[in-house]
Every structure is written in structure tokens, then in C-alpha cells.
Amino acid sequence: LFWMVLILGIVALIGSCAKKDEETAAASTTSTTKYMSTTTTASGSITMGDDTLSGVYASECLTSASTIAFFKATGFWASEVNAYGQVFVVTGSDNISIELYAFTDTSCSNLSQSQKTVSDNVTVGSASGSNYPVTYNDQTKALTVHTTAAETALETLYSNALDLIVGTPIELPVSGSGLRYGLWTLSGTTLYEGNDSTSATPTSAGTVPYVKQ
């Protein structure tokens, strides 16, 4: 039980810090204009005021040095990682999948590790300007290592409490209700997602664009 709580805590922290670090590094982030892809099937839509959120929204292939350095410093990413990207998928009228991908190359062609967080009960509040406060409940988090280096890094981070197999997702249950508070901005076909929290709505939306695919 101790290790599961620790694992879930680290995974949640990593996800939140990824968005926060991307926001602070956005101005200096280099991208290749290649957008992320996903095998997750989009379905349904979520209403945000007069706008509708539906389908797949993806970031470009990103190479922010500060973000990559942060993930490597935590031990969550192997030293082989040189680029990353994120995907936001609407999977139902109140369901989403938020996905983070790490790559060994700067063109985002060869995966090192991937993480998918599936959430439901998405509720959109009243807008403040163009920003919409949202709440949702994380249901599952799936980690997949795609190289032996990524496998070694994560097993070392979790003191071998995880038995990972290259190419096989491992599902981690979410403790408690998994309640998250977020802030979303939809501008045409571009989505901005603020740094979500377990306690309060973020004060600002994100700066990294997720473009509808």
C-alpha cells in the first residue's frame, strides 16, 4: 500500500509539473511543427459556453530543455529522452484522455515512454473572459515503457515496486476520488490547458497550444 500511494503521488506530481514547466518555458521552446498522434479514439463532445470541445488536440513535438531536464532530474524520464509532446482527447460527453509522450530523438519519432490519464465527470463552469474553470475525476493512469532504458529508469525510481515490460502498459488506480481542478481556454481549433490542481482552480490558462487534428 505504501508503494502504491508513493507511485500515484509521483505520477500526479509529474503530470502537473509538466504543464507548469511548459508554461514557463513556452517562449524558449523549440518545436518541429510535427504534431503528436494517439491511438485513443475520440468520441462525443463537451460544451464550453458557445464553443464545443471535440476530437483530438495535440501539441507539436517539443524540445524545451528545462522541461526535459526536470523530468530527467526526477528520474521519471531516462537520459535518452530528447523531445516530448502531449495530447488531449475528448472521449465522451464528460470524458477525456490526457497523454504525455517522451521520445529519444528530437523529431519525436522513437518513443521512450508514454503516459495516459483517463478522466470522467468533466464539469465546465462559467467563463471568466475566455477561460473556463473545470473539474473532473481521474480514473486510471497507464504507463508504458518503450525501451529498456525507460524501463530501468522507472523501476529504479520506484525501487522496483513496479514490474515493467517494454511495450506493455501498466495500469495504476487513482487513490480517492481523483478530483482535479483545471482551467481551459478554447480559441477556434486551439485548446490551452492550465496547470491542474487537487485543491483549487488555476489562476491562469496554459500557454502551450494544443491544435485540433
Side-chain angles (χ1 to χ4, degrees):
L1 178 60
F2 169 79
W3 283 113
M4 184 57 69
V5 171
L6 178 61
I7 289 168
L8 294 175
I10 292 176
V11 170
L13 175 63
I14 291 292
S16 294
C17 288
K19 297 191 192 103
K20 184 175 182 179
D21 203 51
E22 281 181 358
E23 289 173 21
T24 58
S28 60
T29 295
T30 300
S31 72
T32 66
T33 69
K34 172 183 178 180
Y35 289 95
M36 297 295 99
S37 61
T38 179
T39 58
T40 303
T41 301
S43 177
S45 63
I46 297 172
T47 300
M48 294 175 59
D50 295 329
D51 297 317
T52 300
L53 191 67
S54 65
V56 176
Y57 297 79
S59 78
E60 296 181 8
C61 177
L62 304 171
T63 56
S64 165
S66 60
T67 297
I68 293 171
F70 167 78
F71 275 72
K72 288 181 178 180
T74 63
F76 195 73
W77 280 354
S79 60
E80 66 181 4
V81 173
N82 287 292
Y84 63 97
Q86 290 186 271
V87 177
F88 182 106
V89 187
V90 177
T91 56
S93 60
D94 67 346
N95 311 94
I96 57 173
S97 176
I98 298 177
E99 307 170 5
L100 174 64
Y101 298 91
F103 299 86
T104 62
D105 61 304
T106 56
S107 62
C108 291
S109 298
N110 302 306
L111 274 169
S112 171
Q113 184 205 124
S114 57
Q115 174 185 333
K116 293 186 179 184
T117 301
V118 175
S119 307
D120 66 5
N121 297 325
V122 174
T123 302
V124 179
S126 299
S128 174
S130 59
N131 299 329
Y132 285 85
V134 296
T135 58
Y136 48 89
N137 297 88
D138 288 349
Q139 294 300 304
T140 61
K141 294 180 182 290
L143 292 175
T144 305
V145 293
H146 301 273
T147 67
T148 54
E151 176 186 11
T152 299
L154 276 177
E155 288 182 343
T156 299
L157 176 64
Y158 296 126
S159 300
N160 294 311
L162 295 180
D163 183 16
L164 299 167
I165 300 174
V166 173
T168 302
I170 180 170
E171 297 281 347
L172 302 177
V174 176
S175 60
S177 66
L179 178 62
R180 311 291 295 186
Y181 297 85
L183 194 66
W184 298 349
T185 302
L186 184 61
S187 177
T189 58
T190 302
L191 173 69
Y192 296 89
E193 179 196 6
N195 182 35
D196 62 6
S197 168
T198 58
S199 58
T201 301
T203 57
S204 61
T207 57
V208 175
Y210 295 75
V211 177
K212 189 169 184 177
Q213 304 300 295

